[in-house]
Amino acid sequence: GAVVSQHPSRVICKSGTSVKIECRSLDFQATTMFWYRQFPKKSLMLMATSNEGSKATYEQGVEKDKFLINHASLTLSTLTVTSAHPEDSSFYICSARELGGLETQYFGPGTRLLVL
Amino acid sequence: SQKIEQNSEALNIQEGKTATLTCNYTNYSPAYLQWYRQDPGRGPVFLLLIRENEKEKRKERLKVTFDTTLKQSLFHITASQPADSATYLCALEGHYQLIWGAGTKLIIKP
């Protein structure tokens, strides 16, 4: 149980284009999903917390107009990187917390984004 | 603010031995602490959670301790195997989110 999927697993795009990443909880309902960014050999950096049916809460320094988050249902959250630039290239990981759960986060496999 | 320190240098352990990883925090003692495993190019996988009132927790070959006086958690893998090679992340309960360490890379040599 507690499986989270992410799609796509890898994406290469041209500078200036937008990229959408999907995060789905497959066998549980997630009221809260988290979006992280991770650079090589670095810690997970929380970008935003996404609650179903409400606006996402962004961490300091994360541009909400650049990283659009939508959490339309209890099993799906999307992150759209708008007008992507090479510096947006990174490993993006989502996680989900079960409905009623307060502690453990279940992570997706991650999405490797490369902006040329 | 809360900071987490994990040894940034890779830990090399001979197969069959016990591997011990350290997680130190600097500020308040969290209500709970978690350990995750992360393989290259993959998302973290939850391993164990230990609460502040628990001294030790075990799961198969894994053992976690939590010392609120030392502000430290130790993560042990007994009878280590090459398949245990990965980066292990420590995470503490923060304000409605987890605070993450940078992880320690563990290499089990056959």
Side-chain angles (χ1 to χ4, degrees), chain A residues 2-20:
Chain A
V3 177
V4 176
S5 70
Q6 255 182 268
H7 178 80
S9 59
R10 186 175 296 183
V11 58
I12 300 173
C13 69
K14 293 182 179 180
S15 186
T17 60
S18 293
V19 175
K20 179 185 281 189

Side-chain angles (χ1 to χ4, degrees), chain A residues 34 36 38 41-44 46 59 91 93 97 102-105 107-110 112, chain B residues 32 34 36 38 40-46 49 51 89 96-98 100-103:
Chain A
F34 302 87
Y36 292 88
Q38 188 177 34
K41 299 184 180 180
K42 296 294 184 183
S43 178
L44 295 168
L46 180 65
E59 296 300 304
F91 190 51
I93 315 174
R97 198 164 58 195
L102 296 175
E103 302 160 344
T104 303
Q105 293 182 24
F107 284 83
R112 177 76 59 191
Chain B
Y32 58 84
Q34 303 185 34
Y36 289 77
Q38 187 175 24
R42 307 291 293 176
V45 174
F46 170 75
L49 179 152
R51 301 182 190 280
L89 305 170
Y96 296 112
Q97 61 174 273
L98 292 176
W100 294 86

Side-chain angles (χ1 to χ4, degrees), chain A residues 37-95:
Chain A
R37 185 172 179 175
Q38 188 177 34
F39 293 102
K41 299 184 180 180
K42 296 294 184 183
S43 178
L44 295 168
M45 186 191 82
L46 180 65
M47 299 175 65
T49 301
S50 167
N51 290 296
E52 185 264 338
S54 62
K55 291 183 178 180
T57 302
Y58 289 81
E59 296 300 304
Q60 192 173 10
V62 179
E63 298 177 58
K64 59 182 66 177
D65 293 331
K66 181 165 185 63
F67 299 100
L68 301 178
I69 292 173
N70 184 279
H71 193 158
S73 75
L74 285 172
T75 60
L76 173 64
S77 177
T78 61
L79 167 68
T80 302
V81 183
T82 62
S83 187
H85 291 285
E87 57 265 30
D88 297 325
S89 300
S90 189
F91 190 51
Y92 293 87
I93 315 174
C94 74
S95 71

